[in-house]
Amino acid sequence: MATEGAKRQPKYQRIADALRDAIQAGRYGPGDRLPGENDLMAEHDVARMTARQALGVLQSEGIAESRQGAGVFVRSFRPLRRQGVKRLTRSRWGEGRSIWAADAEGRTLVVDKVGVTEEPAPDRIAGVLGVEPGSRLCVRRRRFVLDGKPILLATSYLPASLVAGSAITREDTGPGGTYARLAELGFEPVHFREEIRSRMPSGAEAGELGLPAGTPVMLICRTAFADEGRPVEVNEMTLDSASHILEYEFDA
């Protein structure tokens, strides 16, 4: 017998819950086509709009995806497990390895868009870096694509005077990336702070990440500090929430 809470749920939500349970139980696997609107209408005796809303719930959660003219399918993309602590250890970037290498686990991860400019510091970034608003910053913008799917937008801000003439001002920063180059400049990161929050994407973000309607993004703002607590980089990241698992492992 249905609980009082289940009875109060909209019909489309109950249908979405049933489909989600079926996916989690393995009745529908990655890439399988889900029942269409006509199937759901007949099975649950609901209107087309209700069936459409139910499928829309699964799409907004990142569980399913619509394919033009073919129907709605269980999403086959495997989320990236982002190892929040391990990935930033000096043993990775200090030895010339990308901090993304461990996350990708052999999958194809590329940066398909890179832009490097010099811009005045926005107030919010100036406050974190401890510079005057309007001070010149080196700004690095990237888009990361995993297995052909855009999953992350990242914008890094560094004091222009600190990185002038270094590979950080070029698109290809070389082995170990920005942190290895900072170390060579005498500003090796020794401490990191990450702040995480969530919101709905802007239109531009949704377009860049190819997000279906209703999919939220996770925002990670990481600050890298050199000796004596000097902030040397702020990295603002926008993640497709359905494409990431955030993992933090540490000792008690």
Side-chain angles (χ1 to χ4, degrees), residues 2-251:
T3 65
E4 287 301 315
K7 288 180 181 178
R8 287 195 297 268
Q9 278 188 317
K11 287 183 178 179
Y12 76 86
Q13 187 64 63
R14 295 203 297 270
I15 297 171
D17 290 347
L19 288 172
R20 189 187 306 103
D21 289 345
I23 294 170
Q24 292 174 348
R27 284 176 50 200
Y28 300 103
D32 285 352
R33 185 181 184 278
L34 293 172
E37 292 177 9
N38 291 338
D39 300 320
L40 295 176
M41 290 165 61
E43 181 180 352
H44 297 278
D45 190 25
V46 296
R48 182 173 301 278
M49 182 56 69
T50 301
R52 186 171 299 167
Q53 286 177 303
L55 293 170
V57 168
L58 300 183
Q59 292 176 68
S60 69
E61 293 176 352
I63 296 173
E65 59 187 0
S66 176
R67 299 178 189 171
Q68 187 67 34
V72 176
F73 295 76
V74 179
R75 197 176 190 191
S76 56
F77 182 83
R78 180 164 55 92
L80 179 75
R81 186 173 293 273
R82 182 182 186 276
Q83 300 177 330
V85 176
K86 290 181 180 179
R87 67 200 306 275
L88 292 173
T89 58
R90 194 190 188 286
S91 61
R92 294 196 185 282
W93 51 265
E95 295 176 2
R97 291 183 291 170
S98 165
I99 63 175
W100 289 94
D103 294 345
E105 297 179 329
R107 300 165 69 183
T108 303
L109 178 68
V110 299
V111 181
D112 75 332
K113 293 183 180 181
V114 182
V116 185
T117 58
E118 188 171 302
E119 302 174 18
D123 289 352
R124 72 181 189 285
I125 301 299
V128 179
L129 287 176
V131 299
E132 290 295 322
S135 299
R136 305 305 293 176
L137 298 182
C138 173
V139 182
R140 299 181 52 82
R141 293 184 174 88
R142 292 92 70 208
R143 184 173 77 163
F144 292 77
V145 178
L146 179 67
D147 295 341
K149 184 191 182 309
I151 61 167
L152 168 73
L153 307 174
T155 302
S156 293
Y157 302 88
L158 306 98
S161 59
L162 186 142
V163 300
S166 74
I168 293 173
T169 63
R170 300 193 290 268
E171 290 188 3
D172 184 359
T173 55
T178 295
Y179 296 148
R181 303 292 80 76
L182 283 171
E184 292 168 357
L185 292 169
F187 301 101
E188 176 183 330
V190 296
H191 179 73
F192 297 95
R193 178 183 67 217
E194 288 193 343
E195 301 171 351
I196 303 173
R197 58 193 179 94
S198 178
R199 61 164 168 77
M200 299 307 295
S202 67
E205 291 167 340
E208 281 281 285
L209 292 171
L211 301 177
T215 303
V217 291
M218 292 184 288
L219 308 175
I220 299 179
C221 181
R222 180 172 68 233
T223 306
F225 298 88
D227 283 333
E228 299 180 354
R230 177 176 180 174
V232 291
E233 183 220 29
V234 175
N235 187 354
E236 293 186 324
M237 293 163 273
T238 303
L239 293 70
D240 171 6
S241 62
S243 296
H244 287 82
I245 297 172
L246 305 187
E247 177 183 293
Y248 293 90
E249 181 178 340
F250 45 84
D251 295 331

